[in-house]
């Protein structure tokens, strides 16, 4: 068991000199949170503190991740009615510091990231920090660079994953010690950071199995984030083009708020034709290749274009 005390309760003769000490960001709910997670996974709470400490003091440099950089200033688009509805709902809970779980279902290219950015800006403007979790380190690094370009708050955006150096991780730790509002992008570890002014958690690709750790104690970061949001009484936003069945069930039960983005930016949705294979009168070169599909493939090849068959 871990607890903080102001006065020693043991004989001075039993005390040993502390070799080093490290300040912990002033998060009043932190010990309660890690104790709860430790209980769920049947491990000691100190496991999480030790894990953070090891990561912060890792002498190895972060794994280099090659990200294409651009200095081009991105013009942020106006939000659609659907995007604005989702963003407004989450923003209200950010301002009021109230808990709500929101599932954002949007087809690829529908602009889920624009909703994320609107909510991030709202949280930072209220001097609240944000955790942005993605299922892979490469995705986390890409989003970090993208957000630094598209949001006018570069000094507040930090990655916290294996792609960062020791100095970069230490800089974030100092920001947390100073109770500054920051955006932290990563995969697993950010959810275990003590953050005194946490105001929002975002999980992109919430359906992805990458949030399930493979090594003991096989912690599910998405579930831990949901627990943290509930304990800290803050909103959490989960986004996906293909939401998990568990998430859809929570929506159906009325426990989670649900928003959909049905429009795609910059392109129309692909036209879908359904071919019935039971038409025995149609003569086909192959059972799976209908006459209509055959003609479409030939037309595609004549135009020097490519086709993909699944």
């Amino acid at each position: 068991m871990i607890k903080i005390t102001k006065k020693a309760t043991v004989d001075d003769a039993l005390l040993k000199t502390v070799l080093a000490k490290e300040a912990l960001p002033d998060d009043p709910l932190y010990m309660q949170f890690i104790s709860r997670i430790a209980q769920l996974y049947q491990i000691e709470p100190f496991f999480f503190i030790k894990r953070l400490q090891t990561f912060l003091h890792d002498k190895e440099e972060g794994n280099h991740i090659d990200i294409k950089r651009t200095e081009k200033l991105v013009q942020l688009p106006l939000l659609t009615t659907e995007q604005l509805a989702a963003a407004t709902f989450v923003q209200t809970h950010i301002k009021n510091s109230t808990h709500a779980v929101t599932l954002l279902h949007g087809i690829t290219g529908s602009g889920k990231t624009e909703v994320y950015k609107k909510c991030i800006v709202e949280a930072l403007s209220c001097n609240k920090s944000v955790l942005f979790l993605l299922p892979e380190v490469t995705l986390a690094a890409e989003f970090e660079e993208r957000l630094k370009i598209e949001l006018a708050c570069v000094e507040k955006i930090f990655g916290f994953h294996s792609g960062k150096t020791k100095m970069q991780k230490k800089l974030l730790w100092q920001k947390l010690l100073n109770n500054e509002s920051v955006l932290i992008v990563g995969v697993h570890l950010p959810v275990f950071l003590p953050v005194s002014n946490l105001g929002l958690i975002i999980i992109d690709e919430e359906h992805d199995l990458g949030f399930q750790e493979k090594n003991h104690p096989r912690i599910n970061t998405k579930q831990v984030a949901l627990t943290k949001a509930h304990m800290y009484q803050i909103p959490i936003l989960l986004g996906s083009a293909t939401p998990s069945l568990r998430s859809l069930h929570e929506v159906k039960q009325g426990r989670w708020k649900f928003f959909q983005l049905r429009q795609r930016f910059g392109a129309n949705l692909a036209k879908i034709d359904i071919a019935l294979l039971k038409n025995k009168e149609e003569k086909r070169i192959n059972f799976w290749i209908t006459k209509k599909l055959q003609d479409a493939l030939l037309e595609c090849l004549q135009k020097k274009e490519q086709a993909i068959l699944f």
Side-chain angles (χ1 to χ4, degrees):
M1 180 175 178
I2 300 174
K3 65 179 181 178
I4 299 174
T5 181
K6 300 294 183 181
K7 184 177 180 181
T9 56
V10 296
D11 193 313
D12 290 343
L14 299 177
L15 296 178
K16 294 183 179 180
T17 303
V18 175
L19 298 179
K21 66 177 182 177
E22 186 162 19
L24 198 67
D26 186 20
D27 182 344
L29 294 172
Y30 187 65
M31 298 307 298
Q32 182 182 347
F33 164 67
I34 63 170
S35 295
R36 173 61 176 157
I37 300 304
Q39 183 183 35
L40 288 174
Y41 287 94
Q42 293 296 291
I43 53 179
E44 288 293 328
F46 187 68
F47 170 86
F48 302 105
I49 297 177
K50 184 65 176 176
R51 185 177 178 186
L52 280 177
Q53 186 183 44
T54 301
F55 187 69
L56 283 169
H57 293 282
D58 188 359
K59 294 181 180 180
E60 295 184 7
E61 289 296 307
N63 299 322
H64 177 69
I65 300 176
D66 188 21
I67 302 295
K68 290 185 178 180
R69 301 173 185 272
T70 176
E71 299 300 324
K72 183 179 178 182
L73 183 62
V74 178
Q75 183 67 37
L76 298 181
L78 294 175
L79 296 189
T80 64
T81 302
E82 292 177 335
Q83 289 173 316
L84 193 58
T88 301
F89 177 81
V90 178
Q91 284 177 310
T92 300
H93 286 278
I94 293 172
K95 293 176 184 176
N96 298 333
S97 299
T98 50
H99 175 63
V101 184
T102 304
L103 177 63
L104 181 62
H105 173 214
I107 58 175
T108 303
S110 61
K112 294 186 293 295
T113 304
E114 299 305 320
V115 178
Y116 300 157
K117 290 191 293 186
K118 193 77 172 177
C119 296
I120 290 169
V121 170
E122 178 64 36
L124 294 177
S125 66
C126 294
N127 295 317
K128 297 180 179 181
S129 292
V130 182
L131 299 183
F132 192 162
L133 306 179
L134 298 110
E136 298 175 11
V137 172
T138 304
L139 281 176
E142 289 177 355
F143 259 91
E144 181 187 346
E145 292 302 318
R146 176 179 175 180
L147 293 174
K148 284 181 177 179
I149 294 170
E150 298 181 3
L151 297 180
C153 53
V154 177
E155 73 285 351
K156 290 180 175 288
I157 302 175
F158 296 87
F160 195 69
H161 48 72
S162 59
K164 311 308 291 185
T165 65
K166 181 178 178 180
M167 289 302 297
Q168 289 171 325
K169 291 180 283 189
K170 282 288 189 179
L171 179 58
L172 169 60
W173 189 255
Q174 189 58 53
K175 295 287 185 180
L176 295 177
L177 288 173
N178 295 339
N179 295 325
E180 297 182 37
S181 58
V182 291
L183 167 61
I184 306 169
V185 185
V187 183
H188 301 297
L189 283 175
V191 77
F192 295 110
L193 284 168
V195 184
S196 63
N197 56 358
L198 188 59
L200 172 67
I201 299 176
I202 299 174
I203 300 182
D204 192 36
E205 305 294 346
E206 66 88 23
H207 64 278
D208 201 291
L209 295 178
F211 289 115
Q212 175 71 61
E213 295 193 61
K214 297 177 177 60
N215 298 325
H216 177 77
R218 294 183 57 81
I219 294 168
N220 188 298
T221 304
K222 172 184 162 184
Q223 186 57 49
V224 171
L226 286 165
T227 302
K228 186 162 194 171
H230 182 264
M231 291 186 67
Y232 282 60
Q233 284 299 287
I234 61 171
I236 179 169
L237 174 59
L238 302 93
S240 174
T242 54
S244 64
L245 290 177
R246 182 266 168 105
S247 295
L248 292 174
H249 176 73
E250 294 292 338
V251 170
K252 187 176 181 180
Q253 295 300 312
R255 290 188 282 266
W256 293 8
K257 187 70 175 178
F258 184 59
F259 291 95
Q260 278 187 298
L261 305 180
R262 301 178 181 86
Q263 300 175 355
R264 176 174 290 167
F265 277 105
N268 295 322
L269 293 174
K271 181 183 176 183
I272 298 176
D273 286 333
I274 298 177
L276 298 178
L277 298 178
K278 66 180 181 180
N279 184 3
K280 297 180 180 180
E281 297 179 0
E282 182 183 49
K283 294 183 179 180
R284 303 196 288 268
I285 58 174
N286 181 285
F287 175 77
W288 302 106
I289 308 296
T290 64
K291 183 64 167 59
K292 189 172 184 178
L293 176 57
Q294 182 181 352
D295 293 342
L297 289 171
L298 290 174
E299 182 182 354
C300 181
L301 294 175
Q302 289 171 358
K303 292 180 180 179
K304 307 295 183 180
E305 296 175 344
Q306 295 180 334
I308 298 177
L309 298 181
F310 291 96

